[in-house]
Amino acid sequence: MSESFVLVETRGRVGLLTLNRPKALNALNDQLMDELGAALLAFESNADIGCVVITGSEKAFAAGADIGAMKDWSYMDVYNSEYITRNWETLKRIKKPVIAAVAGYALGGGCELAMMCDIIIAADTAKFGQPEIKLGVIPGAGGTQRLPRAVGKAKAMDLALTARMMGAEEAERAGLVSRVVAADKLMEEALDAATVIASMSLPSVMMAKECVNRAFEGSLNEGLLFERRVFHSLFATEDQKEGMAAFTEKRKPDFKHR
Ligand code: CO8
């Protein structure tokens, strides 16, 4: 059997999911996303679980979608939901609260995954970013929609267009993360918060989450659909092939359309 990319544990009424693909800095490929989706759905239907925590390693929450897997895909490959799209929406369907406990890199799809969670608790080592522009694409799992809602247009534009990373303190000031803690206290803090939430009445917790999301989500779905189509279309460009090939070959991209 192949190695498991998501470790599943329970701590009292808290479900703990650890992204476990360390050699690729938890790059999010189909197997990992399938395992994450299945584990989330299992916790959702488990009456003994009241809150979920998703975490990664000390070095990376997740460094994005798997560039090596994506690099040769065509427009129709990515438009086809059997590829990367299939389990990226599962987190949105979970009614129980989900906390992202982020240390190290949360980049591209990794930052988007954290933003799909309800609360982000960051270690002081956390680095958030949407560096897809360097690969000749754009964020494809909500980055252009959720990031401006969380941090405002100015900072979202800065991150999406320059690809720079934002540290934990800046992310807290900007409103992306709810708490910053010392790296060695991250899991204690996240599990404590999750335990508090899991001790509340589950219906009111789920409904509070739903209501806060309603305030946040305005016309998000239209924005997400639009973003997804633009993301797909970039797989028709030479620059996406060049950007992703350059990453895997560890060289600077030579974009045709500057
Ligand atoms: N995909 C695949 N492999 C990766 C990724 C990735 N995103 N990130 C890191 N890795 C791999 C590296 O290739 C390397 O593998 P190997 O050892 O076999 O060469 C290993 O992880 C370690 O990485 P580095 O040697 O690069 O480690 P460094 O400490 O030097 O650098 C960085 C760390 C800065 C995080 C660097 O790895 C990096 O820049 N990674 C890519 C970040 C990035 O561009 N992320 C965005 C990806 S695109 C995306 O997420 C689009 C999401 C759309 C989702 C749509 C769903 C519908």
Side-chain angles (χ1 to χ4, degrees):
M1 224 178 82
S2 66
E3 196 185 351
S4 201
F5 288 159
V6 177
L7 307 180
V8 182
E9 296 167 74
T10 55
R11 303 285 172 87
R13 286 184 48 74
V14 176
L16 174 60
L17 300 175
T18 304
L19 310 183
N20 178 44
R21 203 186 165 206
K23 285 185 198 138
L25 301 183
N26 292 334
L28 306 164
N29 64 359
D30 281 347
Q31 184 191 328
L32 190 153
M33 292 309 291
D34 286 350
E35 289 181 24
L36 183 63
L40 283 166
L41 291 172
F43 281 147
E44 178 80 341
S45 60
N46 181 344
D48 295 330
I49 295 297
C51 188
V52 177
V53 174
I54 301 178
T55 195
S57 68
E58 276 176 28
K59 185 158 183 203
F61 177 73
D66 190 317
I67 302 168
M70 281 188 293
K71 68 184 179 56
D72 297 321
W73 286 347
S74 67
Y75 176 84
M76 286 313 295
D77 288 336
V78 286
Y79 180 81
N80 178 345
S81 60
E82 272 312 295
Y83 281 84
I84 44 176
T85 317
R86 63 177 180 218
N87 250 318
W88 281 84
E89 303 298 335
T90 308
L91 194 43
K92 254 184 82 182
R93 289 167 41 204
I94 302 299
K95 289 187 170 158
K96 291 176 182 173
V98 182
I99 297 176
V102 176
Y105 298 112
L107 301 178
C111 186
E112 294 171 305
L113 184 67
M115 289 193 289
M116 279 185 233
C117 297
D118 303 304
I119 298 174
I120 302 178
I121 299 182
D124 51 11
T125 57
K127 292 188 187 69
F128 299 87
Q130 298 290 165
E132 289 90 341
I133 201 89
K134 287 204 291 189
L135 301 168
V137 291
I138 64 164
T144 66
Q145 304 301 302
R146 290 195 178 94
L147 192 59
R149 281 169 168 82
V151 304
K153 176 181 168 183
K155 216 172 263 295
M157 280 287 189
D158 181 1
L159 295 179
L161 299 184
T162 71
R164 83 169 171 89
M165 294 183 210
M166 173 167 73
E169 300 292 343
E170 183 182 355
E172 187 188 27
R173 276 200 310 278
L176 181 65
V177 314
S178 65
R179 314 178 192 184
V180 178
V181 296
D184 61 353
K185 293 276 181 286
L186 176 67
M187 290 320 294
E188 188 183 321
E189 186 87 8
L191 290 169
D192 281 356
T195 302
V196 169
I197 293 169
S199 73
M200 309 291 178
S201 152
L202 185 59
S204 60
V205 163
M206 293 195 300
M207 287 179 208
K209 164 172 167 163
E210 198 177 356
C211 289
V212 174
N213 279 336
R214 188 53 71 94
F216 188 69
E217 280 176 359
S219 57
L220 181 64
N221 285 337
E222 278 308 308
L224 289 173
L225 182 61
F226 184 74
E227 177 201 72
R228 186 65 49 85
R229 290 292 171 264
V230 176
F231 179 76
H232 293 155
S233 70
L234 285 162
F235 281 74
T237 69
E238 290 172 75
D239 282 351
Q240 171 269 330
K241 296 289 170 295
E242 170 60 11
M244 293 193 178
F247 176 83
T248 49
E249 291 157 20
K250 300 188 189 297
R251 59 174 174 82
K252 275 201 158 48
D254 178 17
F255 290 129
K256 293 280 175 300
H257 306 284
R258 294 191 193 263

